Amino acid sequence: MPDADCRQKVLIIGAGPVGALAALYAAGRGDEVDIYELRADLRDPSTTPLNFTKSINLALSERGINSMRHAKCEGLLSAVLDESIPMHGRMIHGQGQDGKLYEEPQLYDAQGRYIRAVDRAALNKRLLDHLERMPNVTLHFNHKLTGADFKKNVAWFEQQVVPKTDHAQNPTGNVSNKSGKGRPEEVSVDFDFMIGADGAHSATRFHMMKFARLAYQQEYIDTLWCEFHITPRISDSSFAISPDHLHIWPGGSFIFIAIPSLDRSFTCTLFAPESYFTGLAPLSPEEFVSSFSKNFPGVCPELISPEDLHKQFTENPHLPLLSIKCTPYHYKSSVVILGDAAHAMVPFYGQGMNAGLEDVRVLFDFLDAHDVYNDSSKLATTLEERRAGALNAYTSQRTPDAAAINDLALRNYHEMSAGVKSPIYRMRKWLEETVSVYFPSLGWSTQYSRVSFENQRYSEVEKATARQGRTIVTAAGLGFVGLSGLTAFGLLRKDGLRSIRALLDNLKI
């Protein structure tokens, strides 16, 4: 526990997984923590998610697990992992030229490591339950951040009596004050330090931009997504397909994926260009199912009935995918933004939540390293100066890392939608995993393993993968030259062809 003089009044904006974990880190260090959330209590099943989907399954990997581990909350990580489903690899679905359906498993990692499917609501509930038991934490639901002065360190909130039910992109609807007239009741709150973890449409970032010279880049990619649902088998309530995999139906420019849930159902997502959705919309139910089945064989009627497939497509929202980059992530010693508020990314690497949780760990590592929680610090600076130094260091390190995983996530859409079927992709994966297993001292690993099963900085992952790629290209070039020489030499000999064939057999080419 830090000295009393080092305790700060910390405001956390956003009670999602990233904000809740940040609150656990701050409260565990003795800070007085107040969490303000726009929506009603996220543990209440009646609270409408910001994207209007019924359930959100997420991929939890090492970075997120490690960040929860460092929160040092007894029982938290084990409870989260107990409510997760291990996914050891991808299961690629398709249809052969003979018309037969096939499934092809692809392990994620040569060393047997795996990611986990977790329910966002269940994870959020665990985090909030732990926070609610801490005496120095207060939860404020139905509070909208309407303003902030980061020079005077004061924030204003509208206290909403009617629970928030509209979309994040329309944050002013469906609110009222106690009298039902005019604007909702507003409260002002003083603070020492604010952490904004309020998502891609962050109010914290919006108000911070009035003070910080913040460079901001936002991109909506030409891909929409729609959620579908695979129910358990009617005969025995078991999983309809393997629960040990993330299932993929690659379609080139579009993709259909399925992630297992604890209730033995699957949460599925269709990702496709807007033109694809537009083309399906006017079709009759029969035409829709026929078109869908051509691109994603084995989904309907094998896993989803034609009626349910068409109903889910027409009733569930078709939502955009947003990519955000910005810098800096802070303003002086007053405020910092984390997670999607700082670097919203497309979901194709399964790292959005994991990167956000890792933000929390990295931030508090810097706060600790700069003696923010050490009143006996030998640094001849004030607490505010030490905190400002920590936030500056955080922005300097985290900005290139977030940019790297943002770019990797965009590129991974091609790998998931088409690359997983490519012989070149499979050859490189096999080569990198073989070197990793038999020559571990070389430090080789696949890009996916570095991202999902290690804690190496994202920017360093990108550089290491590029180095391995150059090495493979060089080795392939030398191998081609050598093989060409052997071929020319062998053809001059009576047994040349037999020798070359034996060589290729030994190389398993």
Side-chain angles (χ1 to χ4, degrees):
M1 184 71 67
D3 295 313
D5 292 341
C6 285
R7 294 178 185 174
Q8 311 164 99
K9 182 172 183 180
V10 178
L11 301 190
I12 308 289
I13 312 302
V18 176
L21 186 65
L24 286 171
Y25 270 69
R29 286 163 171 76
D31 288 337
E32 178 187 343
V33 178
D34 285 83
I35 306 173
Y36 289 86
E37 168 57 47
L38 176 64
R39 295 160 289 176
D41 192 332
L42 304 179
R43 295 166 292 183
D44 185 343
S46 66
T47 299
T48 304
L50 289 181
N51 55 19
F52 287 148
T53 56
K54 296 178 181 178
S55 61
I56 307 174
N57 279 22
L58 301 169
L60 177 64
S61 56
E62 167 58 23
R63 295 173 193 271
I65 293 171
N66 187 48
S67 299
M68 285 188 281
R69 184 182 299 120
H70 279 77
K72 299 178 181 178
C73 293
E74 185 178 356
L76 170 64
L77 184 57
S78 60
V80 170
L81 296 183
D82 286 345
E83 294 178 338
S84 69
I85 300 177
M87 295 187 293
H88 295 268
R90 298 165 174 159
M91 183 68 78
I92 311 303
H93 294 256
Q95 189 171 29
Q97 294 182 350
D98 58 0
K100 293 182 178 179
L101 300 175
Y102 67 81
E103 295 181 343
E104 178 191 308
Q106 294 181 0
L107 289 178
Y108 280 130
D109 184 64
Q111 300 178 30
R113 294 174 291 185
Y114 51 85
I115 62 176
R116 295 173 180 267
V118 295
D119 178 79
R120 179 190 175 99
L123 171 62
N124 221 153
K125 181 180 185 303
R126 288 293 180 185
L127 292 166
L128 292 175
D129 286 347
H130 273 265
L131 284 169
E132 202 164 48
R133 293 195 291 266
M134 303 183 80
N136 53 332
V137 175
T138 305
L139 299 171
H140 306 268
F141 295 105
N142 297 315
H143 278 70
K144 175 185 175 183
L145 177 66
T146 57
D149 186 331
F150 293 117
K151 291 183 177 179
K152 297 180 180 179
N153 284 8
V154 58
W156 292 271
F157 298 89
E158 285 182 352
Q159 186 174 0
Q160 305 176 37
V161 177
V162 177
K164 168 80 175 163
T165 59
D166 60 327
H167 193 274
Q169 297 182 55
N170 179 27
T172 58
N174 297 334
V175 296
S176 67
N177 60 13
K178 293 180 180 179
S179 65
K181 300 178 181 179
R183 291 188 60 181
E185 181 181 348
E186 188 172 76
V187 295
S188 63
V189 181
D190 296 323
F191 62 90
D192 297 313
F193 181 34
M194 179 185 289
I195 298 176
D198 46 345
H201 303 281
S202 169
T204 309
R205 184 185 64 233
F206 173 77
H207 295 298
M208 192 179 83
M209 291 174 75
K210 302 171 186 176
F211 295 84
R213 292 182 294 178
L214 189 144
Y216 178 79
Q217 175 185 335
Q218 174 178 299
E219 177 185 5
Y220 282 97
I221 68 170
D222 183 27
T223 300
L224 300 179
W225 66 277
C226 179
E227 182 181 282
F228 293 81
H229 193 68
I230 296 175
T231 58
R233 286 195 181 99
I234 297 176
S235 58
D236 58 2
S237 298
S238 62
F239 285 103
I241 47 180
S242 166
D244 301 324
H245 299 84
L246 186 152
H247 294 262
I248 299 178
W249 284 260
S253 62
F254 35 76
I255 185 174
F256 189 82
I257 68 171
I259 299 178
S261 301
L262 287 174
D263 64 0
R264 299 181 182 177
S265 67
F266 282 82
T267 298
C268 310
T269 311
L270 168 65
F271 297 100
E274 184 175 4
S275 59
Y276 181 78
F277 281 85
T278 303
L280 288 177
L283 299 180
S284 67
E286 295 75 17
E287 292 172 329
F288 169 83
V289 170
S290 176
S291 176
F292 191 96
S293 297
K294 288 179 182 178
N295 292 314
F296 309 111
V299 173
C300 180
E302 290 83 355
L303 302 174
I304 306 176
S305 71
E307 296 78 14
D308 283 344
L309 185 72
H310 186 258
K311 180 180 180 181
Q312 292 178 46
F313 178 81
T314 54
E315 294 185 358
N316 291 343
H318 304 163
L319 299 171
L321 291 174
L322 177 64
S323 176
I324 289 175
K325 295 179 181 178
C326 67
T327 192
Y329 295 150
H330 74 288
Y331 175 71
K332 295 187 176 179
S333 66
S334 298
V335 59
V336 67
I337 52 177
L338 308 179
D340 284 353
H343 47 70
M345 66 191 71
V346 294
F348 305 122
Y349 228 121
Q351 285 295 301
M353 179 188 67
N354 290 287
L357 298 178
E358 187 178 59
D359 285 349
V360 176
R361 179 187 64 79
V362 174
L363 170 64
F364 279 86
D365 281 350
F366 277 114
L367 292 171
D368 291 340
H370 284 73
D371 284 349
V372 170
Y373 293 99
N374 180 12
D375 191 47
S376 59
S377 171
K378 297 180 181 179
L379 299 175
T381 54
T382 65
L383 174 60
E384 289 73 20
E385 290 171 333
R386 297 198 297 274
R387 188 166 62 240
L391 298 186
N392 187 62
Y394 172 79
T395 284
S396 297
Q397 174 172 307
R398 201 60 179 164
T399 298
D401 290 342
I405 188 56
N406 200 307
D407 292 340
L408 288 172
L410 279 168
R411 293 200 293 268
N412 206 50
Y413 181 62
H414 172 73
E415 178 177 309
M416 292 180 68
S417 62
V420 290
K421 299 168 69 174
S422 165
I424 296 177
Y425 163 80
R426 296 177 185 180
M427 175 61 77
R428 174 166 179 169
K429 184 176 186 292
W430 172 82
L431 179 59
E432 289 178 327
E433 289 181 339
T434 300
V435 173
S436 172
V437 171
Y438 293 101
F439 305 97
S441 61
L442 295 179
W444 273 43
S445 187
T446 65
Q447 178 177 281
Y448 189 91
S449 291
R450 291 180 188 274
V451 168
S452 299
F453 306 124
E454 300 173 13
N455 293 289
Q456 185 179 24
R457 290 179 56 186
Y458 289 121
S459 58
E460 293 177 356
V461 169
E462 200 170 31
K463 293 174 184 177
T465 302
R467 285 195 301 270
Q468 288 180 193
R470 290 192 296 270
T471 301
I472 290 172
V473 170
T474 301
L478 293 174
F480 177 78
V481 171
L483 187 59
S484 298
L486 282 172
T487 302
F489 177 74
L491 289 175
L492 297 177
R493 297 175 56 86
K494 191 174 181 178
D495 59 342
L497 290 175
R498 189 181 306 129
S499 300
I500 293 171
R501 187 176 296 111
L503 173 62
L504 294 177
D505 288 340
N506 289 334
L507 291 174
K508 297 182 180 180
I509 293 179

